[in-house]
Amino acid sequence: MGCADTCAAALIDPQIGQVDRYLGLAARDGLRIRYVIDTHTHADHFSATRELARSLGVPVVMHRASPAPFVDMRVDDGEMVVVGRLRIGVLHTPGHTCDSMCLVVEDRVFTGDTLLIRATGRTDLPTGNPEALYESLFHGILRLDPQLKVFPAHEYQGRGHSTLGQELAENPRLQRRDRDSFVDMMRNLNLTMPTHITEALRTNMSGGKIIAQLLAEAAAHIPFMSLQELKSHIGLQDELIVLDVREREAYETGHIPGARLLPRGQLELRVNEELPDPTRRIITYCEFGRISTLAAATLREIGFQRAVALDGGMKAWREAGFPVAT
């Protein structure tokens, strides 16, 4: 959201896979992002707040109860964040998580995962509490102006927004207005766990990197070689070293003819004895092409400037019908 008068903007609940999209939208609308805000510690997606804050030189804003050590501005109930002429009012709304908050701006409320369109945030994840969610909803945001537009952190049905009045009337979970009935319903939703919940919590709480991010960063710094190009080198006495970075059992089951075995877990410890000439051309491969990407990036980082990775892996090599040695 942005202030048209000052061109200042805030980005709420950004996802790591959408960073370029956010920056493109801000540029399109002539806005400069001044704050990145997470309404809570997410367990169902990977937050981009830390990455964006670093690249843009702006603060990360979260509730004071957030466990994340990289938060620059910790806010509390009743406080405001100023974005140009906009005033973002903070409401602490624990329940989905202990650090959940909703943000009220003019005619709308950004509800995070506290209130969704025709649903509410779940309370069975770490620091979730159904009693606290009941208080946050019925004694908190639902007492605001019913005309306020509701913009949740997630909306999977393609609906742009709702209003507090519509949610009070039509949200099936909000029809349980008795505290005990609501708590009992929340305790018995029996929802499946979000994908990558452990990795999401780990990275969102610590500011660490997700595996996909490590792979993307590695891939951005190395060249690749196609399966067909590598096949053309098989049997030739040229300078190319083919390095299988899988474990021994996988190598012995089937490998690219002429490949040497140097498992990724032993790469740094054995590289000097196995690869004494840093000027040699080296191609790494694994089963699916991910570990070999990391291996090639590591080789380049420690001085093997001609290291490349196979575009694909042993699985793709077999499927292409190329020769396999055992």
Side-chain angles (χ1 to χ4, degrees):
M1 61 178 179
C3 170
D5 293 335
T6 64
C7 298
L11 182 57
I12 301 172
D13 292 328
Q15 181 186 10
I16 197 70
Q18 300 288 328
V19 168
D20 289 339
R21 178 170 174 266
Y22 302 135
L23 298 177
L25 289 172
R28 182 197 69 182
D29 295 333
L31 299 172
R32 180 176 176 184
I33 297 171
R34 298 290 188 179
Y35 298 96
V36 284
I37 307 173
D38 265 339
T39 56
H40 63 287
T41 301
H42 297 281
D44 46 6
H45 77 257
F46 301 112
S47 173
T49 51
R50 192 181 191 192
E51 178 176 321
L52 281 163
R54 280 179 170 176
S55 64
L56 297 173
V58 301
V60 172
V61 181
M62 292 187 74
H63 186 263
R64 66 173 179 82
S66 167
F70 54 84
V71 177
D72 302 295
M73 182 191 293
R74 296 182 181 273
V75 294
D76 210 337
D77 191 70
E79 297 175 353
M80 292 189 305
V81 178
V82 177
V83 181
R85 300 187 187 281
L86 298 177
R87 299 295 186 267
I88 305 175
V90 175
L91 293 177
H92 185 207
T93 52
H96 175 61
T97 63
C98 68
D99 63 343
S100 290
M101 63 181 182
C102 294
L103 306 172
V104 181
V105 189
E106 297 185 342
D107 65 343
R108 62 201 60 199
V109 54
F110 296 88
T111 55
D113 281 8
T114 298
L115 176 63
L116 308 176
I117 296 178
R118 308 302 184 265
T120 65
R122 59 197 297 167
T123 58
D124 58 342
L125 300 179
T127 77
N129 184 307
E131 289 88 357
L133 182 62
Y134 178 87
E135 294 296 322
S136 294
L137 289 169
F138 291 99
H139 295 159
I141 60 173
L142 293 175
R143 291 188 173 182
L144 299 174
D145 183 349
Q147 298 302 313
L148 282 177
K149 299 174 184 177
V150 172
F151 289 87
H154 302 284
E155 169 46 36
Y156 300 112
Q157 306 301 319
R159 297 166 293 201
H161 64 272
S162 178
T163 68
L164 288 178
Q166 285 177 297
E167 293 308 308
L168 267 170
E170 302 175 27
N171 190 319
R173 292 188 191 175
L174 300 185
Q175 306 317 305
R176 302 286 190 97
R177 300 188 184 182
D178 173 74
R179 178 190 179 96
D180 291 340
S181 176
F182 179 86
V183 169
D184 181 66
M185 171 191 67
M186 295 303 299
R187 291 192 188 281
N188 291 281
L189 292 178
N190 297 319
L191 301 172
T192 58
M193 285 292 109
T195 306
H196 308 306
I197 177 174
T198 301
E199 187 180 15
L201 286 173
R202 170 178 59 78
T203 57
N204 292 339
M205 290 174 67
S206 68
K209 294 181 178 180
I210 64 175
I211 304 306
Q213 193 175 0
L214 289 174
L215 285 167
E217 290 175 359
H221 291 89
I222 59 169
F224 290 83
M225 183 181 289
S226 70
L227 296 170
Q228 188 64 48
E229 177 64 19
L230 176 56
K231 180 177 179 292
S232 70
H233 287 266
I234 300 301
L236 300 180
Q237 299 299 313
D238 61 14
E239 63 175 352
L240 181 66
I241 295 175
V242 182
L243 207 61
D244 190 319
V245 296
R246 300 174 299 163
E247 296 301 315
R248 178 169 295 278
E249 182 180 357
Y251 174 83
E252 293 178 346
T253 299
H255 56 267
I256 294 173
R260 300 186 192 180
L261 173 64
L262 181 52
R264 174 66 187 89
Q266 303 174 30
L267 183 63
E268 290 88 343
L269 299 178
R270 292 175 49 193
V271 68
N272 291 334
E273 59 186 85
E274 297 287 344
L275 302 169
D277 184 354
T279 67
R280 291 288 295 273
R281 193 181 189 192
I282 302 166
I283 180 169
T284 60
Y285 77 90
C286 61
E287 191 66 24
F288 300 106
R290 294 190 287 269
I291 295 174
S292 55
T293 298
L294 296 172
T298 298
L299 286 170
R300 288 221 164 199
E301 189 175 351
I302 61 178
F304 294 85
Q305 293 303 308
R306 299 189 68 193
V308 303
L310 183 64
D311 185 18
M314 194 64 202
K315 183 175 184 293
W317 181 271
R318 291 193 201 92
E319 290 174 350
F322 292 161
V324 175
T326 58

